[in-house]
Amino acid sequence: MMRARRTVIATRVAALVAVCSVVVALTGCTSRAQEAASGSTRGFPANAIIGVALPDKTSENFAIAGQLFVEGLTKAGFSPDVQYAPATNTVAEQQNEIEAMITRGAKVIIIGAKDGSQLSTQVADAKRAGAMVISYDRLILNTRNVDYYVAYDNERVGELQGQALLAGMKAKYPDKTSYNIELFAGSPDDNNSSVFFQGAMKVLQPKINDGTLKVVSGQTAFKQVTTQGWLAQNAQSRMDTLLAGFYSGTELDGVLAPNDTLARAILQSVKTAGKPYPIVTGQDSEAASVRLIMQGIQYSTINKDTRKLVAEAIKMVSELQRGSRVDVNDTTSYNNGAKVVPTFLLTPQLVTRQNAAQSYATDPTLEPLTRG
Ligand code: GAL
């Protein structure tokens, strides 16, 4: 009798354990499902190492970003590990830096990719080590191991550049009904370069088709107009060649320049050739270019306030550290070839001489340049 009773109890306990294990499993799964759905993950220590891998300093924005990440992450209680990949170096430098951050135990790695198509191994290693990956400014491609993307709307940047080129030429040459232009794009290994160019050509291509714009050199394909490494000397050299080859007896009215570094190189080439300045666009609100805009030499730039972009990336880190929902405002647009990456997108602003003072009113470095 006792043996039978023990058997019944044992059977009931086993059943109870089985039911509980199913509930725990479901609850465990549910909590993991809830985390996945909510975009939150389990938190990590408040003083965790946070890796920041930036490409190079060929443009001011990345130089500024590095300092802002050190200050902002430290202020938030984290241990920043900010590294750059030298402009002349290969992608390997950045790959090695990211691996070192993983080895040091970084809980989040923020990456401004030197080449977003060559980091799949590194972000897979990060994921295996339990680190989250935030793609900063430039989207990392062809891998599911990117957790978030934070950037300005870079297609909108291109559209604004195209619109500025047209508006600037119309204002400078009121009696012209057609304009001679040349096109420049950024480095082919930077995913943003094609995004900027596509945005600009959405505006310019219809005007090329209807004859309002003429690209005198005929160089209109992305591959024909890229600037390796975003290097000023490469843009200046190409502009020299274009001027010598196509503009000995022809006026150049405008140039689509994808950022300020290249805009200044193009303007230098025109100056050296002894020709009048065309309308030249830009991007990044670099101090030297803001000065040229106030002098009427460069026509426009784009304000992508690095302080806001860095702050948004650090906000994501803090949300991940708390294990709370990560704030994103675009969950459909950014398919990196392997997945749609949840994104926080900021809005870029076109700046010309007319609105520079208002645009940079809160920027202690740029505001003084807009006076008088
Ligand atoms: C891009 C970035 C631009 C520009 C360029 C050169 O990816 O979005 O703001 O600075 O790199 O570094």
Side-chain angles (χ1 to χ4, degrees):
M1 183 60 181
M2 280 303 291
R3 183 188 299 275
R5 187 169 167 69
R6 273 202 299 272
T7 303
V8 169
I9 289 171
T11 304
R12 284 177 180 168
V13 167
L16 185 62
V17 167
V19 168
C20 287
S21 60
V22 168
V23 168
V24 167
L26 280 178
T27 307
C29 291
T30 306
S31 67
R32 281 195 291 278
Q34 279 169 335
E35 283 174 358
S38 69
S40 75
T41 65
R42 301 184 190 291
F44 48 79
N47 65 347
I49 294 173
I50 308 298
V52 182
L54 295 174
D56 48 44
K57 300 182 182 181
T58 50
S59 56
E60 274 177 20
N61 58 314
F62 286 115
I64 294 168
Q67 188 52 41
L68 290 173
F69 271 118
V70 170
E71 293 165 2
L73 287 168
T74 303
K75 187 177 177 185
F78 298 109
S79 305
D81 177 6
V82 178
Q83 303 292 337
Y84 284 95
T88 55
N89 206 304
T90 65
V91 171
E93 181 75 25
Q94 187 169 65
Q95 292 169 333
N96 295 337
E97 285 162 356
I98 294 168
E99 295 292 356
M101 291 169 182
I102 296 167
T103 305
R104 282 194 284 269
K107 292 300 183 187
V108 179
I109 301 179
I110 300 166
I111 303 174
K114 184 114 171 125
D115 180 339
S117 67
Q118 297 194 53
L119 293 176
S120 296
T121 300
Q122 285 67 40
V123 295
D125 292 344
K127 181 61 71 181
R128 237 187 320 279
M132 300 294 283
V133 172
I134 297 173
S135 210
Y136 172 85
D137 179 58
R138 301 174 175 178
L139 188 58
I140 295 170
L141 304 173
N142 308 322
T143 169
R144 297 188 57 79
N145 296 314
V146 180
D147 297 284
Y148 297 98
Y149 179 39
V150 60
Y152 278 87
D153 182 341
N154 288 315
E155 182 171 1
R156 180 65 184 141
V157 166
E159 290 171 0
L160 290 171
Q161 291 172 331
Q163 291 165 3
L165 183 62
L166 285 176
M169 292 190 297
K170 284 178 183 173
K172 184 166 185 173
Y173 314 106
D175 301 329
K176 287 192 173 183
T177 56
S178 65
Y179 311 94
N180 294 330
I181 68 168
E182 292 299 329
L183 305 171
F184 281 71
S187 186
D189 55 4
D190 173 1
N191 183 60
N192 280 350
S193 298
S194 59
V195 176
F196 300 140
F197 189 68
Q198 286 159 16
M201 293 308 277
K202 274 170 59 177
V203 175
L204 301 177
Q205 190 61 57
K207 298 296 184 184
I208 293 171
N209 296 346
D210 72 12
T212 304
L213 299 178
K214 180 182 181 184
V215 181
V216 176
S217 69
Q219 298 173 18
T220 57
F222 178 66
K223 287 183 177 177
Q224 291 177 300
V225 303
T226 56
T227 310
Q228 189 59 48
W230 284 98
L231 294 175
Q233 60 263 32
N234 292 340
Q236 187 163 342
S237 169
R238 178 168 173 256
M239 192 71 242
D240 292 346
T241 304
L242 289 169
L243 290 172
F246 301 95
Y247 292 90
S248 52
T250 305
E251 279 185 15
L252 175 62
D253 301 318
V255 180
L256 176 72
N259 86 332
D260 289 346
T261 311
L262 305 192
R264 295 196 303 275
I266 288 160
L267 287 164
Q268 182 56 55
S269 169
V270 171
K271 181 179 180 181
T272 304
K275 292 180 173 297
Y277 289 126
I279 293 295
V280 178
T281 61
Q283 174 185 192
D284 293 324
S285 302
E286 293 192 344
S289 284
V290 172
R291 286 192 194 92
L292 291 176
I293 288 169
M294 297 313 289
Q295 295 164 22
I297 295 174
Q298 183 173 327
Y299 176 71
S300 65
T301 186
I302 302 287
N303 194 20
K304 300 186 343 184
D305 192 335
T306 302
R307 296 171 298 175
K308 293 177 180 174
L309 191 57
V310 169
E312 196 53 50
I314 294 174
K315 177 168 166 278
M316 281 188 175
V317 174
S318 297
E319 290 163 344
L320 288 167
Q321 185 274 323
R322 293 192 300 269
S324 60
R325 171 187 290 279
V326 172
D327 184 21
V328 295
N329 59 15
D330 186 316
T331 55
T332 58
S333 306
Y334 290 87
N335 187 326
N336 77 343
K339 67 184 265 191
V340 176
V341 183
T343 295
F344 193 96
L345 215 51
L346 293 93
T347 304
Q349 179 194 25
L350 175 68
V351 178
T352 63
R353 186 162 52 177
Q354 284 65 39
N355 71 339
Q358 172 228 338
S359 303
Y360 301 130
T362 65
D363 187 315
T365 304
L366 298 177
E367 188 278 328
L369 306 180
T370 66
R371 292 176 195 157

